[in-house]
């Protein structure tokens, strides 16, 4: 049990570190490209353009990492405070502070998050912006000073020890043994922390003295991964064999190493293949004097070629290191696959396992999505699922139900929470971030991922496929789609109780989505629909997966656990003419939702249909009275 808990902690830690770096890979690519082209030993030496190299690695990359890390912890305010705090470690040292950014970014987000929770509900109306700005500035400044005086020097000292350790490993010929740690760590998504947090800063320092560093190739070498995938191409079975060639191309030329992780998880003995392949590759690099003058980001053969010093010896050494690692990994992988038992189906299980570890859908899913799926025949039941089953899924189900009826298909379309998915659901529709959870709950169903519940092309594609696969001898459906919506006799609330004019707010403006969600939650609480604790549950629900629905609409609501905090069903409508940012999406209409016992589903269905038309959105955004908005919503037919 203890080992299992440790594994889970390491996986989550690796996922968090990976989430700080991955959104900024394009910046690493830009830095590597400018370095490869314009430094004195580059393809097109240019003294003026080369001046961008040092500021990018010193300031841009650490600040981007810190900004992303802070945002992961506490959205926009966390991002800003994390970036401010990171300036302390940048200015306080003379080495690239990737590791310092990975510390200060999340720390800044955590501190401002705790502060915001401490003052919640205690700031007088009208002073919110003043308090928000000054608190972020003051706390960010304090953390920057702390970073300058303590964190920066500590990280620099640690980096110095690591440099000495690397020099010792090189001097004793033990550097290849680092693959024993690096290769398994990649599968646990610690690769970005190791590569960009430790190896890259040390490598940059070595480049200043030697013009190149082998450290840039310890993690980025595509050889071990391509060996595994080529072995599957020849000796694999079923879906694994069919998908391996495409994965090999993506991994070797695209540099997306995570593409081969499920193949290793499917057959854990393959860890030995990539470890020994990595050891062999690093040994070859050290023996022949290989190395790069900048990180290969991403770790593709093309990126490696671009940042290899322009000498025949360097090209031979680096390509030999990749080749040897690939050959050794291939031979060992082939032996393991030939002598071990394989099944045809476990590659999908391994992919889902990897997505659980990573905490989000990865590019691996895209590869498997192109493989033949088991689309059910005689579909009778489609279920939309979200975390709580009372907001986004209800709206999506309403829209698809309308399309199903218009297509003349006798198919039930309902909605529910993921935890309550019925065993007889044949097709399950979820937001992309929630698909892995739904697959774990109901692996036998056909799963569809969407990123926009109000306007998704997947709906029309699904309808066309249903019409094409539908057979004449369909049995009676298990239940009609309208059973998901209670009739008037079942409702304790009437539409008038659910949406009142005093709960429609016009011409509002917000600094960020959290402020908007809290406003919506406070309105529900003041109207007597929910307990005050429901407000925090609305924030938690949006952090789990965005409540942005498409068409400039968001529907913040509580988590499944917060259903107990709902006193009665009700809505609040918030008009935001200038918009507010929801994860990069502009939202101009916000529907705060509290649902109890399904009594809110009928009006929610109407809202979904109304908001699927942008003309209606524009009318509501331009409305001058609460009654005008309610009339538009009530005129859903």
């Amino acid at each position: 049990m203890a080992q299992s808990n440790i594994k889970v902690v390491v996986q989550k830690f690796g996922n968090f570190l990976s989430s700080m770096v991955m959104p900024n890979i394009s910046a690493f690519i830009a830095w590597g490209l400018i370095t490869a082209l314009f430094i004195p030993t580059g393809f097109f030496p240019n003294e003026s353009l080369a001046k961008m190299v040092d500021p990018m690695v010193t300031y841009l990359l650490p600040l981007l990492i810190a900004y992303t890390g802070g945002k992961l912890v506490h959205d926009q305010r966390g991002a800003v405070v994390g970036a401010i705090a990171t300036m302390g470690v940048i200015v306080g040292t003379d080495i690239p502070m990737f590791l310092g950014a990975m510390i200060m970014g999340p720390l800044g987000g955590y501190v401002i998050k705790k502060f915001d929770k401490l003052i919640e509900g205690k700031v007088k109306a009208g002073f919110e912006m003043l308090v928000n700005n000054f608190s972020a500035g003051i706390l960010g400044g304090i953390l920057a000073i702390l970073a300058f005086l303590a964190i920066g020097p500590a990280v620099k000292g640690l980096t110095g020890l690591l440099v000495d350790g690397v020099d010792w490993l090189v001097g004793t010929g033990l550097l290849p043994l680092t693959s024993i740690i690096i290769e398994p760590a990649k599968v646990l998504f610690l690769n970005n922390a190791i590569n960009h947090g430790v190896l890259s800063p040390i490598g940059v320092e070595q480049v200043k003295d030697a013009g190149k560093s082998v450290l840039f190739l310890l993690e980025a070498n595509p050889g071990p991964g391509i060996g595994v995938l080529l072995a599957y191409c020849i000796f694999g079975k079923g879906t694994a064999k069919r998908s391996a060639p495409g994965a090999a191309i993506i991994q070797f030329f695209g540099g997306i190493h995570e593409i081969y992780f499920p193949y290793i998880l499917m057959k854990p003995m393959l860890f030995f293949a990539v470890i020994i392949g990595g050891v062999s590759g690093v040994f070859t690099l050290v023996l022949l004097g290989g190395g790069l003058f900048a990180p290969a980001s991403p770790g593709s053969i093309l990126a490696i070629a671009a940042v290899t010093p322009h000498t025949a010896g360097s090209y031979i050494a680096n390509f030999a290191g990749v080749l040897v690692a690939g050959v050794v990994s291939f031979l060992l992988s082939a032996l393991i696959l030939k002598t071990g038992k394989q099944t045809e189906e476990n590659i999908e299980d391994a992919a889902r396992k990897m997505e659980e570890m990573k905490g989000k859908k990865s590019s691996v899913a895209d590869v498997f999505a192109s493989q033949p799926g088991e689309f059910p025949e005689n579909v009778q039941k489609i279920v939309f699922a979200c975390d709580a089953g009372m907001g986004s899924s209800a709206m999506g189900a309403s829209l698809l139900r309308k399309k199903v009826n218009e297509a003349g298909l006798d198919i039930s379309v309902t909605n529910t929470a993921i935890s309550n998915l019925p065993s007889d659901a044949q097709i399950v529709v979820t937001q992309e971030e929630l698909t892995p959870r739904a697959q774990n709950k109901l692996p036998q169903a056909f799963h569809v991922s969407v990123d926009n519940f109000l306007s998704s092309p997947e709906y029309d594609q699904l309808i066309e496929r249903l019409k094409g696969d539908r057979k004449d001898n369909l049995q009676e459906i298990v239940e009609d789609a309208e059973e998901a919506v209670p009739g008037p006799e079942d409702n304790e609330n009437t539409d008038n109780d659910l949406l009142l004019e005093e709960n429609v707010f016009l011409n509002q403006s917000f600094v960020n989505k959290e402020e908007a969600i809290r406003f919506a939650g406070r309105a529900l609480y003041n109207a007597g629909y929910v307990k005050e604790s429901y407000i925090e549950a609305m924030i938690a629900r949006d952090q789990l997966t965005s409540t942005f629905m498409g068409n400039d609409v968001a529907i913040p609501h509580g988590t499944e656990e917060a259903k107990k905090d709902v006193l009665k069903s009700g809505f609040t409508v918030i008009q935001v003419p200038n918009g507010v940012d929801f994860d990069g999406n502009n939202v101009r209409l916000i529907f705060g939702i509290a649902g109890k016992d399904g009594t809110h589903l009928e009006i929610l269905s109407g809202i979904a249909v109304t908001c699927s038309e942008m003309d209606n959105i524009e009318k509501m955004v331009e409305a001058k009275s609460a009654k005008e908005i309610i009339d538009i919503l009530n005129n859903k037919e």
Side-chain angles (χ1 to χ4, degrees):
M1 179 64 73
Q3 289 180 341
S4 176
N5 291 337
I6 293 173
K7 182 179 179 182
V8 170
V9 170
V10 171
Q11 290 170 352
K12 289 184 177 179
F13 180 64
N15 170 45
F16 185 82
L17 295 176
S18 177
S19 297
M20 277 195 280
V21 176
M22 287 302 293
N24 302 306
I25 285 296
S26 56
F28 281 90
I29 293 174
W31 170 49
L33 183 63
I34 292 172
T35 302
L37 292 176
F38 303 125
I39 64 172
T41 57
F43 288 99
F44 307 103
N46 186 301
E47 184 178 353
S48 297
L49 294 177
K51 291 179 181 178
M52 290 189 287
V53 173
D54 284 343
M56 289 180 77
V57 73
T58 302
Y59 297 102
L60 176 65
L61 297 180
L63 286 174
L64 284 174
I65 291 172
Y67 185 91
T68 306
K71 189 169 185 177
L72 288 171
V73 175
H74 194 48
D75 203 49
Q76 188 68 24
R77 281 170 60 74
V80 172
V81 174
I84 295 171
T86 300
M87 280 303 300
V89 293
I90 292 174
V91 177
T93 59
D94 55 0
I95 62 173
M97 266 292 124
F98 298 152
L99 186 58
M102 291 179 179
I103 296 172
M104 296 310 301
L107 179 60
Y110 176 79
V111 169
I112 194 66
K113 181 177 182 178
K114 288 297 182 183
F115 176 82
D116 287 349
K117 191 171 184 63
L118 183 67
I119 66 168
E120 183 181 345
K122 300 177 182 178
V123 180
K124 292 184 178 180
F127 287 85
E128 293 89 352
M129 184 175 292
L130 183 68
V131 173
N132 285 344
N133 288 335
F134 272 89
S135 62
I138 293 171
L139 291 174
I142 292 173
L143 289 173
I145 295 171
L146 173 65
F148 181 89
L149 296 176
I151 306 298
V155 173
K156 182 178 180 180
L158 175 62
T159 302
L161 293 175
L162 293 173
V163 170
D164 293 339
V166 169
D167 291 339
W168 179 80
L169 289 172
V170 173
T172 56
L174 297 177
L175 188 64
L177 297 183
T178 55
S179 295
I180 297 174
I181 298 174
I182 291 174
E183 294 302 331
K186 289 172 71 172
V187 183
L188 292 173
F189 298 96
L190 288 165
N191 52 323
N192 285 308
I194 294 173
N195 192 26
H196 296 301
V198 178
L199 298 178
S200 290
I202 300 174
V204 170
E205 292 302 301
Q206 290 186 342
V207 168
K208 293 178 181 178
D209 298 327
K212 64 182 179 181
S213 174
V214 72
L215 300 185
F216 292 139
L217 277 168
L218 297 189
E219 186 273 339
N221 188 342
I226 195 65
V228 170
L229 294 172
L230 290 177
Y232 267 105
C233 289
I234 300 173
F235 303 106
K237 292 183 179 180
T239 306
K241 183 174 183 177
R242 293 194 299 271
S243 61
I249 293 173
I250 294 172
Q251 189 264 350
F252 194 66
F253 294 103
I256 310 300
H257 287 214
E258 67 177 9
I259 207 77
Y260 72 84
F261 296 171
Y263 295 84
I264 293 178
L265 293 172
M266 182 175 59
K267 196 79 171 173
M269 285 292 292
L270 292 173
F271 274 113
F272 292 103
V274 292
I275 288 173
I276 297 175
V279 169
S280 303
V282 176
F283 178 80
T284 303
L285 291 167
V286 173
L287 182 66
L288 299 180
L292 307 175
F293 56 72
S297 184
S300 74
I301 192 65
L302 300 178
I304 289 172
V307 291
T308 293
H310 306 154
T311 65
S314 294
Y315 281 112
I316 291 173
N318 290 346
F319 289 161
V322 175
L323 179 62
V324 169
V327 170
V328 171
S329 177
F330 169 78
L331 293 175
L332 291 174
S333 298
L335 178 64
I336 292 170
L337 293 177
K338 286 285 287 182
T339 58
K341 181 180 180 181
Q342 295 184 63
T343 64
E344 293 194 6
E345 302 300 329
N346 54 10
I347 184 65
E348 289 86 356
D349 295 336
R352 284 194 291 269
K353 182 177 179 182
M354 192 204 75
E355 288 168 1
E356 289 174 25
M357 291 163 54
K358 192 174 170 81
K360 58 186 177 182
K361 190 175 180 180
S362 73
S363 57
V364 177
D366 298 329
V367 176
F368 297 138
S370 65
Q371 305 304 321
E374 295 184 7
F375 192 85
E377 294 183 351
N378 297 336
V379 175
Q380 298 180 353
K381 191 167 189 176
I382 301 174
V383 177
F384 272 71
C386 64
D387 180 67
M390 64 179 179
S392 53
S393 62
M395 297 182 80
S398 297
L399 292 179
L400 186 59
R401 186 183 303 118
K402 181 174 180 287
K403 291 180 178 291
V404 165
N405 292 337
E406 290 173 349
L409 299 173
D410 292 328
I411 300 175
S412 168
V413 183
T414 63
N415 68 283
T416 185
I418 289 179
S419 60
N420 295 326
L421 274 171
S423 59
D424 60 343
Q426 295 162 287
I427 297 178
V428 177
V429 185
T430 53
Q431 287 173 290
E432 288 182 352
E433 299 92 334
L434 299 177
T435 297
R437 283 178 54 192
Q439 289 174 328
N440 289 332
K441 176 67 176 178
L442 206 64
Q444 71 272 21
F446 185 89
H447 291 264
V448 178
S449 299
V450 298
D451 59 3
N452 183 339
F453 268 151
L454 285 182
S455 178
S456 181
E458 283 81 7
Y459 295 165
D460 293 330
Q461 294 169 10
L462 182 58
I463 293 296
E464 289 302 314
R465 189 162 186 182
L466 288 168
K467 289 166 65 177
D469 291 354
R470 201 65 171 167
K471 296 185 178 180
D472 293 333
N473 60 344
L474 283 176
Q475 300 174 353
E476 291 186 357
I477 60 173
V478 177
E479 55 182 311
D480 188 79
E482 296 304 323
E483 290 180 2
V485 180
E489 66 278 9
D490 299 322
N491 290 345
E492 296 178 3
N493 305 75
T494 67
D495 284 3
N496 293 332
D497 294 323
L498 291 168
L499 185 55
L500 306 174
E501 287 191 24
E502 58 261 38
N503 293 328
V504 178
F505 301 87
L506 304 177
N507 298 316
Q508 300 298 311
S509 62
F510 305 101
V511 175
N512 53 45
K513 70 171 183 177
E514 181 171 335
E515 184 180 337
I517 293 172
R518 290 189 185 280
F519 184 96
R522 182 64 58 180
L524 290 171
Y525 169 70
N526 291 338
Y529 295 127
V530 299
K531 298 178 182 177
E532 191 170 12
S533 55
Y534 188 79
I535 300 173
E536 286 303 319
M538 294 174 73
I539 298 294
R541 171 61 180 82
D542 187 80
Q543 290 174 346
L544 177 66
T545 180
S546 178
T547 51
F548 172 73
M549 297 297 298
N551 290 7
D552 295 354
V553 173
I555 56 160
H557 55 281
T559 60
E560 182 179 12
E561 292 77 12
K563 285 183 177 180
K564 64 182 184 302
D565 297 330
V566 178
L567 303 176
K568 61 179 181 178
S569 292
F571 291 83
T572 180
V573 183
I574 304 167
Q575 181 197 68
V576 191
N578 294 325
V580 59
D581 180 78
F582 267 62
D583 306 302
N585 302 291
N586 189 50
V587 168
R588 296 186 293 162
L589 282 175
I590 299 171
F591 295 88
I593 297 174
K596 190 175 183 66
D597 300 327
T599 55
H600 67 302
L601 294 178
E602 185 173 5
I603 190 170
L604 185 57
S605 173
I607 290 174
V609 174
T610 301
C611 292
S612 65
E613 301 292 336
M614 280 305 298
D615 287 346
N616 292 330
I617 299 294
E618 296 298 339
K619 290 177 183 177
M620 285 188 282
V621 170
E622 296 172 2
K624 303 302 182 184
S625 68
K627 184 177 184 304
E628 189 176 348
I629 289 180
I630 293 176
D631 287 343
I632 294 171
L633 292 171
N634 287 337
N635 192 32
K636 55 182 177 291
E637 295 302 325

